[in-house]
């Protein structure tokens, strides 16, 4: 059992050997660059292989007028900021502070797996293999959920780029890609289901805000809700989906501010300290 613990990349450890840190540095940078390259390449280019329709990432998004179609500008900004923040996280693997290096390594296995799942999803999504793409998203959701519930007490430089940012996107992407995957996704029945399922974003966000006082999850999900709301407004003005999306965005944003302001002042409300997942950066 001890041997299994030693080789398990997801096991919690108080410290990491020099060779382990080097391995995390190499794999983290490699998979992160892989995720960035494939995302940027297929944002501007369509694949040349495959038997199904081949389109750019946001061309796929715009082609299917589903209830979870996103505004590509807002969603792209979300990912650009996330990639930049992840670069900051990777820099801590090279820190001279041993504690910071150990904290960064502690979530490294999940982060590497997240990058690989993201790479696989993009490769499948642009080739219209939406069923397999959905499987990648669900597996990554399991990976990131495990990461969150096992490692939710690290500082912001880890929590936002490695934990909450990817997890919020993955949760919404389950519906985004899933709506495209479903046949006849533009029918009235499909949009009614979309009107129902979009509220799960609010429930999911409030869960983390109320239980864990995690304002980063609330903010991330509010941005993604805005991306859905803007897109739905321009697709169909006389409809409920964009109204629901903006309502969810507003509620999550207000709840985020309520939690974030006391945290920024260093004055968590009574009973919050033991449940808060975010620690100030040192």
């Amino acid at each position: 059992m001890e041997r299994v613990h030693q080789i398990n990349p997801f096991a919690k450890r108080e410290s990491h050997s020099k060779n382990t840190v080097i391995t995390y540095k190499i794999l983290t940078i490699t998979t992160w660059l892989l995720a960035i390259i494939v995302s940027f390449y297929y944002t501007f280019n369509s694949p040349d292989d495959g038997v199904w329709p081949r389109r750019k990432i946001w061309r796929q998004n715009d082609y299917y007028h589903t209830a979870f179609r996103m505004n590509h500008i807002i969603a792209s900004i979300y990912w650009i900021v996330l990639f930049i923040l992840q670069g900051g996280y990777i820099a801590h693997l090279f820190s001279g502070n041993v504690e910071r290096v150990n904290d960064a390594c502690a979530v490294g296995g999940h982060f590497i797996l997240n990058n690989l799942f993201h790479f696989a999803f993009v490769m499948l999504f642009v080739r219209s293999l939406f069923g397999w793409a959905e499987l990648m998203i669900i597996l990554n959701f399991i990976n990131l959920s495990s990461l969150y519930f096992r490692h939710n007490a690290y500082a912001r430089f880890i929590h936002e780029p490695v934990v909450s940012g990817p997890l919020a996107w993955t949760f919404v992407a389950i519906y985004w890609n899933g709506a495209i995957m479903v046949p006849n996704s533009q029918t009235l029945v499909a949009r009614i289901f979309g009107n129902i399922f979009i509220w799960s974003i609010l429930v999911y966000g409030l869960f983390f805000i109320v239980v864990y006082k995690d304002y980063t999850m609330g903010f991330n999900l509010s941005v993604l809700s805005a991306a859905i709301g803007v897109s739905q407004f321009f697709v169909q003005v006389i409809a409920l989906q964009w109204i629901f999306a903006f309502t969810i965005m507003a509620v999550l944003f207000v709840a985020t501010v309520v939690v974030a302001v006391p945290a920024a002042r260093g004055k968590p409300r009574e009973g919050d300290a033991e449940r808060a997942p975010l620690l100030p950066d040192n």
Side-chain angles (χ1 to χ4, degrees), residues 189-211:
V189 173
R191 295 202 69 86
I192 291 175
F193 275 104
N195 292 159
I196 296 172
F197 286 125
I198 194 171
W199 290 102
S200 65
I201 298 176
L202 176 62
V203 175
Y204 191 67
L206 289 178
F207 167 77
F208 289 102
I209 292 174
V210 173
V211 176

Side-chain angles (χ1 to χ4, degrees), residues 2-40:
E2 180 65 25
R3 175 61 178 171
V4 173
H5 179 80
Q6 290 178 355
I7 63 176
N8 181 8
F10 307 112
K12 285 188 175 182
R13 295 181 177 86
E14 296 298 327
S15 62
H16 298 81
S17 67
K18 181 179 179 180
N19 289 337
T20 300
V21 173
I22 293 174
T23 300
Y24 275 125
K25 288 178 180 178
I26 295 172
L27 293 180
T28 299
I29 293 175
T30 302
T31 58
W32 177 65
L33 290 176
L34 187 66
I36 291 177
I37 291 170
V38 74
S39 298
F40 274 87

